[in-house]
Amino acid sequence: VKGKVVVAVNGAAPGKESKGFAEVEAVATSGYSRDRMVRRIGKGRRISEAESTGEFSGLVKFSASGRSSMEETLRRLFAGDSSGTGQTSLPWWLEPVDRATLCDLLQLMIDEGVSIASALIFGGWHEVNTPQDLTRAWNDTAMFLSEEDVRSQVRAMGACLLSEANDLKRPLPIVAKELNVSLDRLQCLLRGDLEVSDALDVLRKMSEVYPVPLNDLWLDADDTNGGVRIFTADVAESSARVLERKDRTGQRSPYYEYRDAAMSRCSQFRPEWIKELRIVQSGDALDPDVQMNNGHLMMQTTLFIGPVDFYWTDRNGQVQRREMNTGDSNYISPFVPHSFTARAESPEAIIIAVTYGGAVRRAFTELARVGSNHVSSLAGDAREPREARNRVLRRHLLAECLSPDAVIQSMAVGGHSRSRVEELLEGAEASSSELAALAQVLNVRISDLLVCPLGDEEEVVVTKSC
């Protein structure tokens, strides 16, 4: 961003989460992209959260002429005042001048006609206050996008918008009019000449005005370096946090130490380094020091290091326990309650928990719109094969607008009795010839009707190293 004076603005405004928006040095601007100029900056400037562009990062760049303007303003403020209390004709928010902030100086320059541009930061920004903050920042530099990377990302999102506009049979001039944005701004988006935050504003309007999901328009930037991310041990240690759970006395005490591991927004895998802090030596699966979670949507594969006890609740409600050691591993199905504890103080008991959602995670937004009750009625439970087969057939009947009687009549042509077809519709297991007949009636592939039951031995799988 070029200009006599340019301030860096963090569009995420992280300070509002830690200290509240009222304490944030907020920035309000006008214009967009490289023509975005600062109108108001600092605390107490009557900037609402809705009109805020972001938070002042504390960085200002002055050109030679910008520096001259700033120095002239400072000279006028302190001219002939050796006490440092400033002139008596200052705006009220600048008095006393010895307590004024950088934002106050910038606001005064704006009020006196100096144009101050803004360089908007959208991600890839860290506030460093501790050595741990600095370590995390060093690790995340691979996620910082070059100017050309940003252009490519914005250009790709522009292509998505153009594709949706074509599907909606709307030329760009009509889209610009209906979104209430300039045609020039849309063309900047297509060329990749917008800031990411400005592109997001356009995409949000597109999603609000037309029946287009925002996630069909937004594209996450590649946060890898040539397809690889490296996460060092010191960076993992800087992310350490301890989670507590109740013990046998009902008091909360340390249970796990979590550390981040190498992850990418381009991947479905979420690995975590977890040290077991709760030591349980009774060998009892129902030991009151063991606290189970509620299970989670993600599937999990766990790699074990050291003496770790693994607990899970089976489908009959019984808590199971297995002693695990270095080299052992397991697989945990979604929503299976589980827990891990250490058997001894030494050596350390550690797991690498790798969670992943697969196709279900990718479809999570759509599933959330449908609602859990409807999803259950449409999909059934793989633990109950008869119910699952019933749900699959019901789903296809609804898709084809067919009643059970219509299916029975069509199957009768092939020699299938009414009573047998009724059994099949209720979830009875079909023979290969019956599956072929059902698939023909429902206009689907045979594979669309197959149900793979989830057996007891598949819900949780434990593999030993030897």
Side-chain angles (χ1 to χ4, degrees):
V1 177
K2 296 180 180 179
K4 292 173 58 176
V5 184
V6 182
V7 299
V9 181
N10 190 341
K16 66 183 180 183
E17 298 296 332
S18 58
K19 54 191 176 183
F21 183 75
E23 296 300 314
V24 167
E25 292 181 320
V27 180
T29 60
S30 58
Y32 63 92
S33 193
R34 291 166 177 80
D35 297 323
R36 188 190 294 271
M37 309 304 293
V38 177
R39 294 187 295 111
R40 283 171 286 164
I41 181 170
K43 300 178 187 177
R45 297 281 189 261
R46 294 187 177 181
I47 302 173
S48 69
E49 193 166 350
E51 65 178 327
S52 170
T53 302
E55 179 179 356
F56 176 47
S57 70
L59 295 179
V60 187
K61 183 185 80 172
F62 294 94
S63 67
S65 60
R67 176 178 175 177
S68 297
S69 297
M70 180 266 293
E71 290 176 341
E72 174 59 28
T73 302
L74 286 174
R75 273 194 296 270
R76 288 189 291 102
L77 285 175
F78 291 97
D81 187 281
S82 59
S83 66
T85 58
Q87 301 175 352
T88 56
S89 59
L90 294 176
W92 64 267
W93 42 266
L94 260 173
E95 294 179 336
V97 71
D98 61 338
R99 298 184 62 182
T101 66
L102 176 57
C103 287
D104 293 330
L105 173 63
L106 295 171
Q107 186 64 56
L108 181 61
M109 294 174 66
I110 294 168
D111 293 346
E112 293 183 343
V114 177
S115 296
I116 296 182
S118 64
L120 193 60
I121 300 159
F122 191 79
W125 177 265
H126 283 278
E127 185 168 329
V128 177
N129 297 310
T130 67
Q132 290 78 15
D133 292 340
L134 184 58
T135 300
R136 284 193 290 270
W138 280 338
N139 181 72
D140 288 346
T141 52
M143 298 174 62
F144 295 176
L145 300 180
S146 67
E147 186 172 346
E148 184 52 41
D149 289 336
V150 172
R151 286 176 60 86
S152 297
Q153 182 189 8
V154 172
R155 195 161 49 237
M157 291 189 286
C160 291
L161 181 144
L162 184 60
S163 174
E164 294 292 345
N166 289 336
D167 290 344
L168 294 167
K169 308 301 184 290
R170 282 173 167 80
L172 277 185
I174 293 178
V175 173
K177 181 179 179 181
E178 294 180 342
L179 297 187
N180 194 26
V181 300
S182 68
L183 180 59
D184 177 61
R185 192 173 187 184
L186 289 184
Q187 290 170 338
C188 285
L189 174 63
L190 298 182
R191 293 195 302 269
D193 289 339
L194 285 185
E195 301 283 353
V196 175
S197 58
D198 292 323
L200 181 57
D201 288 341
V202 175
L203 300 184
R204 281 185 177 135
K205 287 188 175 183
M206 183 81 173
S207 181
E208 290 168 358
V209 173
Y210 303 124
V212 179
L214 183 59
N215 58 342
D216 285 354
L217 301 169
W218 174 263
L219 294 176
D220 284 314
D222 187 352
D223 58 357
T224 66
N225 186 358
V228 175
R229 285 216 67 192
I230 302 296
F231 205 83
T232 60
D234 58 340
V235 175
E237 188 174 358
S238 71
S239 69
R241 62 271 185 200
V242 172
L243 273 63
E244 297 180 340
R245 291 185 182 176
K246 290 182 179 180
D247 58 24
R248 64 177 59 239
T249 68
Q251 301 299 311
R252 299 186 68 84
S253 60
Y255 203 85
Y256 294 134
E257 177 187 337
Y258 279 86
R259 297 183 188 179
D260 293 339
M263 286 185 278
S264 167
R265 64 170 66 97
C266 303
S267 170
Q268 294 287 324
F269 295 95
R270 293 287 181 268
E272 292 176 307
W273 181 102
I274 306 174
K275 180 179 179 180
E276 283 61 50
L277 303 178
R278 181 73 55 83
I279 299 174
V280 177
Q281 297 177 317
S282 66
D284 181 3
L286 300 178
D287 190 299
D289 275 329
V290 177
Q291 292 294 314
M292 309 288 282
N293 66 13
N294 295 319
H296 40 67
L297 171 68
M298 309 283 269
M299 296 170 278
Q300 177 173 319
T301 292
T302 314
L303 309 177
F304 294 85
I305 304 170
V308 180
D309 278 0
F310 166 48
Y311 310 82
W312 77 96
T313 304
D314 65 23
R315 66 174 62 184
N316 299 313
Q318 300 296 313
V319 178
Q320 304 292 332
R321 170 184 168 273
R322 291 290 186 279
E323 290 189 3
M324 311 296 280
N325 294 285
T326 301
D328 296 343
S329 60
N330 73 15
Y331 164 79
I332 307 173
S333 297
F335 300 115
V336 173
H338 55 274
S339 187
F340 305 92
T341 63
R343 288 196 301 278
E345 291 188 15
S346 180
E348 290 184 320
I350 296 170
I351 64 172
I352 306 297
V354 184
T355 55
Y356 48 100
V360 173
R361 185 62 183 174
R362 289 190 291 272
F364 191 68
T365 301
E366 286 73 20
L367 294 174
R369 293 193 186 104
V370 174
S372 59
N373 291 334
H374 289 297
V375 170
S376 178
S377 66
L378 290 171
D381 188 341
R383 299 174 180 87
E384 302 293 340
R386 187 178 183 89
E387 175 193 320
R389 287 189 289 264
N390 168 261
R391 296 293 192 271
V392 168
L393 288 173
R394 181 194 297 179
R395 189 166 70 243
H396 288 298
L397 261 68
L398 290 172
E400 292 295 318
C401 297
L402 289 174
S403 66
D405 280 340
V407 174
I408 290 171
Q409 292 174 14
S410 298
M411 293 281 286
V413 176
H416 301 279
S417 68
R418 182 182 186 89
S419 60
R420 178 54 182 166
V421 177
E422 287 177 343
E423 290 177 356
L424 294 175
L425 293 176
E426 287 298 319
E429 188 170 7
S431 66
S432 57
S433 60
E434 290 170 335
L435 279 173
L438 283 169
Q440 184 174 3
V441 171
L442 297 172
N443 294 312
V444 297
R445 298 167 299 182
I446 293 177
S447 59
D448 293 330
L449 302 179
L450 297 176
V451 170
C452 182
L454 183 65
D456 289 347
E457 71 285 356
E458 297 175 294
E459 195 157 16
V460 173
V461 179
V462 175
T463 302
K464 306 295 286 186
S465 61
C466 56

